[in-house]
């Protein structure tokens, strides 16, 4: 089953499943989300679906022109592209000079608002990608889970130090990829196979935690 949508991380909470087990859940807001364009990407002829999400106060004229061409009157703020393999059961159609696609037996057209019920249902497994929280410059204990130095026997200032990093005379340098202090977080992270707990008109509830802070933009995909 193929599905895709853009959402915004709203809140993390907990609930109980059918077995009365307590599970962590995340609510993702998915409205408003519109289909802006459909293309075929060569040489593999994969399908490209461009989506827009969120309402903006002011946008550039070039973006306005793209939205007007798609028949969208809502000024959108965030844009994402989803590439789907040509092996998926997708058919590109055109009716009344409107480009569209037939996915999972449902038909969507450029300029149409996408609702989560169109692609997702309770029990589906989805992959969610987003930008993780930026932690800034961090040491090896927090960044890589190092144990640090001994805590007794006169230890004073080496409890969170990385220790020796050299390789002796040969090769006389530090290997590339050596785990050391540096910037942590602020990168694209994908969490796979999260279960959909509930699907609403303007959002969805998934089991588990997703990347990023509250208000972060998420890409939700189901293959």
């Amino acid at each position: 089953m193929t599905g895709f949508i853009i959402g915004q991380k709203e809140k993390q909470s907990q609930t109980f499943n059918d077995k009365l087990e307590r599970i962590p859940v995340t609510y993702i807001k998915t409205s408003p989300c519109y289909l802006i364009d459909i293309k075929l990407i060569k040489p593999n002829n994969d399908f490209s679906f461009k989506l827009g999400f969120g309402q903006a106060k002011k946008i550039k004229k070039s973006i306005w022109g793209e939205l007007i061409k798609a028949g969208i009157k809502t000024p959108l703020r965030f844009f994402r592209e989803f590439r789907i393999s040509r092996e998926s059961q997708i058919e590109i159609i055109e009716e009344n000079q409107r480009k569209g696609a037939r996915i999972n037996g449902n038909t969507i057209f450029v300029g149409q608002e996408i609702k989560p019920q169109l692609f997702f249902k309770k029990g589906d497994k989805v992959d969610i990608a987003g930008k993780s929280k930026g932690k800034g410059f961090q040491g090896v204990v927090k960044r890589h889970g190092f144990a640090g130095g001994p805590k007794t026997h006169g230890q004073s200032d080496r409890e969170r130090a990385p220790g020796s990093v050299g390789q002796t005379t040969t090769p006389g340098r530090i290997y590339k990829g050596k785990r050391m202090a540096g910037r942590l977080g602020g990168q694209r992270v994908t969490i796979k196979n999260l279960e959909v707990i509930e699907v609403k008109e303007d959002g969805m509830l998934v089991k588990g935690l997703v990347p990023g802070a509250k208000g972060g933009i998420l890409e939700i995909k189901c293959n």
Side-chain angles (χ1 to χ4, degrees):
M1 184 157 179
T2 302
F4 46 84
I5 199 169
I6 305 176
Q8 186 176 34
K9 183 176 180 180
E10 282 290 300
K11 61 180 180 180
Q12 296 175 177
S13 183
Q14 60 185 13
T15 185
F16 294 89
N17 60 13
D18 298 335
K19 299 180 181 179
L20 298 181
E21 298 172 333
R22 186 171 59 181
I23 57 173
V25 293
T26 304
Y27 179 72
I28 303 173
K29 180 184 177 182
T30 60
S31 178
C33 182
Y34 290 87
L35 177 61
I36 297 176
D37 197 8
I38 304 173
K39 292 182 180 179
L40 284 177
I41 305 298
K42 294 183 178 181
N44 297 327
N45 286 331
D46 291 340
F47 299 102
S48 168
F49 294 87
K50 184 175 182 179
L51 272 60
F53 172 81
Q55 196 162 352
K57 293 182 179 179
K58 295 178 65 177
I59 59 176
K60 296 181 179 179
K61 286 185 178 180
S62 58
I63 298 177
W64 251 130
E66 189 175 8
L67 296 179
I68 292 173
K69 181 180 178 181
I72 301 171
K73 297 181 180 180
T74 303
L76 301 176
R77 184 178 180 185
F78 303 102
F79 302 89
R80 297 291 186 273
E81 179 185 6
F82 292 85
R83 294 199 176 185
I84 310 297
S85 173
R86 61 178 177 177
E87 299 176 357
S88 304
Q89 300 298 321
I90 298 178
E91 179 185 358
I92 302 298
I93 60 175
E94 188 167 347
E95 294 181 4
N96 300 325
Q97 297 182 347
R98 295 180 65 194
K99 186 186 294 185
R102 191 170 285 113
I103 306 174
N104 306 327
N106 299 316
T107 302
I108 57 173
F109 290 96
V110 171
Q112 177 181 337
E113 183 175 1
I114 297 179
K115 301 289 186 179
Q117 297 99 328
L118 186 66
F119 296 128
F120 307 101
K121 64 181 185 302
K122 182 179 179 180
D124 285 348
K125 299 290 185 178
V126 295
D127 300 342
I128 300 179
K131 189 176 181 180
S132 63
K133 290 182 179 180
K135 307 289 184 179
F137 194 95
Q138 297 296 331
V140 292
V141 173
K142 182 169 184 177
R143 192 180 189 209
H144 299 295
F146 282 19
K151 308 298 187 293
T152 57
H153 300 291
Q155 172 64 274
S156 60
D157 63 347
R158 311 297 295 165
E159 288 188 359
R160 300 178 68 87
S164 176
V165 297
Q167 305 295 333
T168 68
T169 303
T170 304
R173 61 183 175 85
I174 296 177
Y175 290 131
K176 288 184 179 181
K178 181 72 174 178
R179 293 185 298 170
M180 301 176 73
R183 191 174 66 87
L184 176 63
Q187 296 178 334
R188 180 183 172 89
V189 177
T190 301
I191 308 296
K192 295 188 174 183
N193 295 324
L194 294 178
E195 182 182 353
V196 177
I197 302 299
E198 186 180 358
V199 179
K200 300 181 179 180
E201 181 72 16
D202 61 346
M204 54 195 301
L205 201 66
V206 297
K207 179 181 178 181
L209 307 180
V210 299
K214 182 178 178 181
I217 301 302
L218 302 171
E219 301 171 26
I220 307 165
K221 188 176 179 181
C222 178
N223 286 324

